[in-house]
Amino acid sequence: MPQGQPLTVPDDGLTTRARRNAPLLAVHTGPGKGKSTAAFGMALRAWNQGFDIAVFQFVKSAKWKVGEESAFRELGRLHDEHGTGGAVQWHKMGSGWSWTRKHGSEVDHAETARDGWAEITRRIAAQSHDFYVLDEFTYPLKWGWISTDEVIATLADRPGNQHVVITGRDAPQALIDAADLVTEMTKVKHPMDAGRKGQRGIEW
Amino acid sequence: MPQGQPLTVPDDGLTTRARRNAPLLAVHTGPGKGKSTAAFGMALRAWNQGFDIAVFQFVKSAKWKVGEESAFRELGRLHDEHGTGGAVQWHKMGSGWSWTRKHGSEVDHAETARDGWAEITRRIAAQSHDFYVLDEFTYPLKWGWISTDEVIATLADRPGNQHVVITGRDAPQALIDAADLVTEMTKVKHPMDAGRKGQRGIEW
C-alpha cells in the first residue's frame, strides 16, 4: 500500500524531503515469477513521472523479445514524438550490445557482460538516466563475471538521484545488504509444473 | 526464464496446443512489494499481443492514481487511435465504480465491492475481455464481502480464453488451490523500515 508510513525515523541527519528523494536501489530475487515483470511495472511508474529510463537485459539471446520491450518502445515513442512520459532505452546483451560490434564465434558472454557493466558505470557517472533496470544482472555476479564488490561500490557512490532495480535469482548477500528494497519472489505454484507450456501474452 | 520446458506431461487428455492456450488464473500474494506491479507488467505483455485488457482495482479511494494507470491509459489511446496493442479499461472502486452513481455518505464499501464483482461476473460470461487484473481483490474475499467459493466457481466455469490475475495479501487457500500460477512476494527489506517515505516515480 503506497500510503504507508515509516515505522521509525532514522538518525541519519537527513530531512524527510532529502530522505524521500534518496535514490533507490531495489533488488527482485528468488525462484518465483514476477522479478522482471515487477521491475518493468516499476518502470511504468517512472515513465509516467517523466523519468529517463534505461533497461539493460543481461540475457544470452538478443532474439528473445518480451512484450514489455515492445510496449516500452511505444511509450518511448510517445515521449519522443509528443513529450508524454519519459525517454526509454532498451538494451539487450545477446551476442553483443548495440554499441559493440561483435559477431558469432568471437562472442565471450563473460566479456560481453563486463562490457555491459562498464557502459552502465560510465552512464551512472555521467548521470545519463533517472531509472535503470538491470535485468537478470544477478547471474553475471553469481558466475563471477562481474565483481559484486565493484558493483556495490559503484552504486553506493552514484551521483544525483538515479534509481536502480536489479533482478535475477540468487542475488549475492552483499547486494541484498546494500539495497534499500529487496523482494523475494517465491514460487508457490507454476503452470509448467502441471505440464503446461508458456503461452502468448503471458510468458512473452 | 520464459524458455522453460514443462517437467511433466499431464494425463489430462489435452493436446499441447490446447494446454498452451488454456486460460490462466494467476494469483500474486504475500506481504512483499511487487504484487500489483508484476500484474501490470503482465498486462503490458498482454497489451502487446493485442489482448483486450480490463483492470478492476478494489481500492477504497478512487483518488489515488498510480503511474501504471496513466501509462495504460496512454497505451489504450495508442490502441484506439492507431490500432497498436490492445484496448484498455481501468476501473477503480473508490466510493463507487464508474458505472454506478453512489455518492458520499451512502457508500457501503462491502456493497460496492460486491457490485464490482457482479459486473466482472457479467463481463466474464459475455467474454468482454481477454485479460483481467483484479487488483487488491483478496481483501473483499478475506473480509467476507464476496464469497470465495462463488469466485472460484465463476472462474472455473469461465468461457473462452480469458486470463485473470488476482493480487493482494492473504489470498484464501481455496483460491491458491484453484489458481494455475501463484507467486508469493516476500518482503526481505523495505525502505520504510529504515524510515524512508514513499517517493514519486517509485511508489506512485
Side-chain angles (χ1 to χ4, degrees):
Chain A
M1 304 299 281
Q3 301 90 333
Q5 285 295 316
L7 296 174
T8 59
V9 175
D11 184 23
D12 56 10
L14 293 174
T15 62
T16 296
R17 186 185 177 84
R19 207 176 294 120
R20 180 185 282 273
N21 290 327
L24 196 81
L25 172 59
V27 174
H28 295 173
T29 191
K33 298 273 291 182
K35 296 183 289 292
S36 302
T37 313
F40 299 139
M42 289 177 75
L44 270 186
R45 293 187 181 171
W47 177 84
N48 183 59
Q49 292 289 352
F51 288 9
D52 186 297
I53 295 166
V55 176
F56 297 86
Q57 292 194 291
F58 285 76
V59 291
K60 284 191 181 169
S61 171
K63 288 177 197 156
W64 185 263
K65 192 171 181 179
V66 292
E68 290 98 324
E69 178 181 351
S70 306
F72 269 101
R73 289 192 187 281
E74 294 295 337
L75 290 170
R77 197 173 306 169
L78 277 176
H79 173 266
D80 298 342
E81 295 176 5
H82 304 287
T84 309
V88 178
Q89 290 191 10
W90 194 290
H91 301 285
K92 273 181 295 195
M93 188 174 88
S95 52
W97 302 91
S98 58
W99 61 81
T100 62
R101 290 172 177 279
K102 285 168 198 158
H103 300 286
S105 58
E106 44 172 326
V107 172
D108 175 333
H109 285 306
E111 191 192 325
T112 311
R114 280 190 292 271
D115 286 348
W117 170 246
E119 176 69 15
I120 292 163
T121 302
R122 285 188 290 270
R123 293 186 185 207
I124 285 175
Q127 301 188 51
S128 303
H129 309 285
D130 302 311
F131 192 95
Y132 298 74
V133 178
L134 312 189
D135 190 36
E136 313 277 11
F137 187 58
T138 57
Y139 301 100
L141 299 180
K142 179 182 172 182
W143 297 327
W145 294 352
I146 297 171
S147 157
T148 300
D149 289 347
E150 192 195 305
V151 167
I152 291 170
T154 300
L155 293 177
D157 292 340
R158 69 192 187 280
N161 195 32
Q162 303 178 87
H163 304 288
V164 179
V165 184
I166 293 174
T167 79
R169 294 184 183 210
D170 304 323
Q173 187 60 45
L175 182 66
I176 289 174
D177 294 342
D180 306 297
L181 169 63
V182 181
T183 304
E184 175 160 312
M185 277 66 171
T186 307
K187 182 181 82 167
V188 177
K189 191 193 274 187
H190 192 286
M192 287 182 192
D193 297 341
R196 282 211 205 173
K197 294 193 174 185
Q199 61 181 307
R200 184 173 74 94
I202 300 296
E203 300 287 334
W204 65 87
Chain B
M1 305 298 281
Q3 301 91 331
Q5 286 295 314
L7 296 174
T8 60
V9 174
D11 185 23
D12 56 10
L14 293 173
T15 62
T16 296
R17 186 184 177 85
R19 208 175 293 120
R20 180 186 282 271
N21 291 328
L24 195 82
L25 172 59
V27 174
H28 295 174
T29 191
K33 299 273 290 182
K35 295 184 288 293
S36 302
T37 313
F40 298 139
M42 290 177 75
L44 270 187
R45 292 186 182 173
W47 177 85
N48 183 58
Q49 292 288 351
F51 288 9
D52 186 298
I53 295 165
V55 176
F56 297 86
Q57 291 194 292
F58 285 76
V59 290
K60 283 191 182 170
S61 170
K63 288 178 196 156
W64 185 263
K65 192 172 182 180
V66 292
E68 290 96 324
E69 178 181 351
S70 306
F72 269 101
R73 289 193 186 281
E74 293 294 337
L75 291 170
R77 196 172 305 167
L78 277 176
H79 172 266
D80 298 344
E81 295 178 5
H82 304 287
T84 309
V88 178
Q89 289 190 11
W90 194 290
H91 301 287
K92 271 181 297 195
M93 189 174 89
S95 51
W97 301 92
S98 59
W99 61 83
T100 63
R101 288 169 178 282
K102 284 167 197 156
H103 300 287
S105 58
E106 43 173 325
V107 172
D108 175 332
H109 285 305
E111 191 191 325
T112 311
R114 281 191 291 272
D115 286 348
W117 171 245
E119 175 69 15
I120 292 164
T121 301
R122 286 188 290 271
R123 294 187 184 206
I124 285 174
Q127 301 187 49
S128 304
H129 309 285
D130 303 311
F131 192 95
Y132 299 74
V133 178
L134 311 189
D135 189 37
E136 313 276 11
F137 187 59
T138 58
Y139 301 101
L141 299 180
K142 179 183 174 184
W143 297 327
W145 295 352
I146 298 171
S147 156
T148 300
D149 288 347
E150 192 195 305
V151 168
I152 291 170
T154 300
L155 293 177
D157 292 341
R158 70 191 187 279
N161 194 33
Q162 304 179 86
H163 304 287
V164 180
V165 183
I166 294 174
T167 79
R169 294 184 185 211
D170 304 324
Q173 187 60 45
L175 182 66
I176 289 175
D177 293 342
D180 305 298
L181 169 63
V182 181
T183 303
E184 176 160 312
M185 277 68 172
T186 308
K187 182 181 82 168
V188 176
K189 192 193 273 186
H190 193 287
M192 287 182 193
D193 298 340
R196 282 210 205 173
K197 295 194 173 184
Q199 60 180 309
R200 184 174 74 96
I202 301 297
E203 300 288 332
W204 65 87

